[in-house]
């Protein structure tokens, strides 16, 4: 079964606004890609959004990456 999209917020050094991307990749896959970029295994963090567009950020420019919960299907004022 396809999981709900996961929201990713990417802070880029020296850029005032963060990038917000929704992806169909699961959180673990995104976290592995971020770790590879930060460890130097990959020179670019590449995420494909829910529309199939690739978002690429040079690993050296990453300020932070926040991987959220699935964005749809939540109800109420959750804790």
């Amino acid at each position: 079964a396809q999981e709900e999209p996961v929201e990713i917020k990417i802070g880029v050094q020296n850029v005032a606004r963060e990038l917000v991307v929704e992806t169909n990749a699961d959180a673990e896959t995104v976290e592995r890609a971020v770790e590879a970029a930060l460890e130097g295994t990959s020179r670019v963090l590449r995420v494909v959004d829910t529309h199939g567009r690739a978002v690429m950020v040079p690993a050296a420019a990453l300020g932070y990456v926040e991987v959220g919960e699935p964005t749809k299907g939540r109800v109420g004022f959750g804790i």
Side-chain angles (χ1 to χ4, degrees), residues 15-55:
V15 176
R17 294 183 56 175
E18 65 189 7
L19 299 172
V20 179
V21 180
E22 278 193 350
T23 182
N24 289 323
D26 61 49
E28 284 185 29
T29 300
V30 174
E31 289 173 14
R32 282 194 302 270
V34 171
E35 288 173 3
L38 295 176
E39 291 172 351
T41 307
S42 172
R43 296 172 67 178
V44 175
L45 172 62
R46 181 178 186 274
V47 179
V48 177
D49 73 6
T50 56
H51 301 286
R53 297 177 293 216
V55 176

Side-chain angles (χ1 to χ4, degrees), residues 52-72:
R53 297 177 293 216
V55 176
M56 294 174 271
V57 178
L62 289 174
Y64 66 89
V65 178
E66 183 179 311
V67 181
E69 295 295 318
T71 56
K72 296 183 181 172

